[in-house]
Amino acid sequence: MKIVRRDLFATLVVAVLGTATLAWGSDGFSAFTAETARRQQVLRAPRALPTAVLEDQDGRRLTLQDFAGKRVVVEFIYTRCDSVCLTLGTAFRQIHQRLPEAARDSDIVLLSISFDPQRDDPAALRSYAGRFGADGESWRVVRPLASDDLPALLAAFGVVVIPNALGGFEHNAALHLVGRDGRLSEIRDLAAVDAFLADLEART
Amino acid sequence: MNARYWLALRRKPGMFPALLALWGLLALPPVRYWLEASMTRHMIVQMPLLVAIGSALAHSLSRQQRCRIVAAAGGPLALLTLASFASTYWMMPRALDLAVASGAADAVKFVTLPLLVGLPLALAWRPLGVLGRGFVWTNLISMLVFIGWLYIAAPLRVCNSYLVDDQARAGWWMVYAAAGIFATWLGALFVGKPPATVDTPCAAGYPAI
């Protein structure tokens, strides 16, 4: 009997510790995928972003920090993409079109960042801009210039890019909001354009 | 050699160096990267092998060593519970992503899958009895089918590190594995003979390990 009781007690201890570990590993049973975890972490603690020199569709240089005081909506793209990126580009176009005119000029900037800088030269970026109606001012299409800036940028945003069999890439595409303080403060699903716009309006 | 032979815990002391070598081989960076580059190879090949190494480690221990571990852990039920929780953790897509993204997390996986899943499961195996083992098998089979079906049907990737068609392929392999395990288990139930030798219990009132 003593042996059985010992086993039951040990089982209880293991179950408590095991449940605690699972809770720790899933942020209190709320995030079972890395993508959910990334979105929740950013909401809880907005993330500082690295200074990366970017080049836009007209060859102009800029950094994310140039937009301090404004809000920046960021998507990650590669211009040859024609699957999920169509959704992404369309979502971005919707956001751009539905922003109030005043906000578009002075308050909110849209940035499409290419993670394929070798192929995406300014000409490629320009053609992407043309395809989706980016005006090159309030919506700019850019690529990181230095080769080691890209991994830092992707890591800070939590974007994972993996090559697929067709010579393209798959990546966790989403809408990213960088706040006025230059920190990544919200990540939303591509399909959640309405909610994203509502948030933009609510958080001034 | 009947299937039951593999289910019963027999002492195979010479296995330890071979196990260590296999573990080392899996941990070699080129092998590790190659296996983890695909969700199918990661989940269907590497992780089950790590569990099998732990279980084989239990087989290579002496009876005294096995008894000591079971006694220290509290008993077979505690060991089974430990294996369930540890394997559940590594079943989370997020844990899989973390193992790919972080070397430290992968190291934890390389230690915990053998020592906290394979080893305790093998030590708890005999005392579990036919019913307890049936519970483990049916749980494993239903979980494989459920997650496999989810991976096949999910239009979205559950892991940021893996392609969506790789995810579907891993799902199919889970279903195949479930079918294979079911067939083997059923076969062992009908075809197998009881193990020839039964060890004496570790202590009075204790089931044989």
Side-chain angles (χ1 to χ4, degrees):
Chain A
M1 230 31 237
K2 199 173 148 232
I3 287 170
V4 173
R5 229 180 298 138
R6 207 175 117 77
D7 194 5
L8 287 178
F9 178 71
T11 302
L12 190 70
V13 173
V14 170
V16 169
L17 290 178
T19 308
T21 309
L22 290 183
W24 166 81
S26 62
D27 297 335
F29 300 107
S30 68
F32 295 98
T33 65
E35 186 59 15
T36 316
R38 164 176 95 114
R39 296 179 185 193
Q40 289 180 358
Q41 276 159 10
V42 159
L43 277 184
R44 267 199 309 272
R47 254 187 233 173
L49 298 169
T51 3
V53 179
L54 306 168
E55 181 184 36
D56 77 0
Q57 71 288 329
D58 299 322
R60 293 175 297 177
R61 310 239 162 141
L62 59 141
T63 67
L64 280 171
Q65 285 68 24
D66 293 347
F67 302 108
K70 292 182 181 181
R71 290 178 292 170
V72 190
V73 184
V74 175
E75 63 166 354
F76 285 87
I77 56 140
Y78 67 107
T79 62
R80 290 173 300 129
C81 179
D82 47 13
S83 56
V84 71
C85 316
L86 286 180
T87 329
L88 193 54
T90 312
F92 242 53
R93 175 158 55 193
Q94 274 181 30
I95 292 173
H96 191 244
Q97 284 169 348
R98 285 166 58 184
L99 282 177
E101 199 118 344
R104 200 168 13 179
D105 290 338
S106 59
D107 188 37
I108 299 171
V109 179
L110 276 69
L111 221 50
S112 301
I113 304 180
S114 164
F115 50 72
D116 190 15
Q118 252 104 48
R119 289 204 187 83
D120 289 342
D121 54 5
L125 300 175
R126 211 159 37 239
S127 102
Y128 181 89
R131 240 164 86 202
F132 290 103
D135 59 5
E137 287 302 327
S138 60
W139 178 1
R140 296 165 83 170
V141 187
V142 304
R143 65 167 175 175
L145 273 183
S147 57
D148 44 348
D149 276 349
L150 180 63
L153 211 53
L154 293 177
F157 276 90
V159 173
V160 181
V161 178
I162 42 174
N164 67 19
L166 307 167
F169 301 96
E170 275 184 30
H171 59 111
N172 45 337
L175 305 167
H176 306 80
L177 177 64
V178 178
R180 292 183 203 285
D181 57 358
R183 285 169 183 271
L184 174 61
S185 56
E186 190 181 333
I187 304 172
R188 271 204 189 264
D189 215 63
L190 289 185
V193 168
D194 290 343
F196 191 80
L197 281 165
D199 282 345
L200 272 183
E201 215 167 311
R203 314 164 154 215
T204 48
Chain B
M1 201 175 292
N2 64 52
R4 184 68 72 94
Y5 179 85
W6 297 101
L7 302 181
L9 192 63
R10 300 285 188 82
R11 202 182 155 212
K12 301 178 188 77
M15 251 167 25
F16 191 68
L19 286 180
L20 216 59
L22 178 59
W23 190 89
L25 180 74
L26 290 175
L28 272 181
V31 180
R32 192 161 72 85
Y33 294 148
W34 182 74
L35 285 176
E36 292 179 6
S38 133
M39 192 182 200
T40 312
R41 290 195 295 267
H42 195 175
M43 291 192 73
I44 309 292
V45 180
Q46 191 209 56
M47 291 169 76
L49 271 178
L50 287 171
V51 172
I53 287 173
S55 139
L57 175 67
H59 290 245
S60 76
L61 296 174
S62 72
R63 203 179 75 85
Q64 285 87 345
Q65 286 167 322
R66 288 183 333 232
C67 286
R68 227 174 291 141
I69 296 176
V70 176
L77 188 60
L79 285 168
L80 176 67
T81 313
L82 175 65
S84 313
F85 273 101
S87 56
T88 304
Y89 176 83
W90 288 111
M91 216 59 81
M92 288 196 291
R94 187 180 171 183
L96 213 62
D97 259 336
L98 196 63
V100 176
S102 141
D106 209 26
V108 172
K109 188 191 78 190
F110 263 76
V111 172
T112 54
L113 280 182
L115 294 186
L116 301 187
V117 182
L119 180 87
L121 203 58
L123 289 177
W125 202 245
R126 284 273 291 274
L128 278 179
V130 177
L131 268 180
R133 291 195 286 267
F135 174 79
V136 173
W137 284 129
T138 44
N139 255 311
L140 178 68
I141 290 167
S142 57
M143 187 214 60
L144 280 173
V145 171
F146 177 71
I147 298 189
W149 171 75
L150 211 67
Y151 282 11
I152 294 165
L156 290 174
R157 295 184 305 150
V158 294
C159 283
N160 283 343
S161 330
Y162 293 118
L163 302 169
V164 71
D165 51 342
D166 192 14
Q167 175 175 308
R169 207 172 326 123
W172 277 115
W173 275 106
M174 275 183 240
V175 173
Y176 302 150
I181 290 170
F182 182 66
T184 312
W185 175 49
L186 216 64
L189 281 183
F190 288 113
V191 180
K193 286 183 198 128
T197 55
V198 175
D199 289 330
T200 38
C202 291
Y206 219 84
I209 307 281

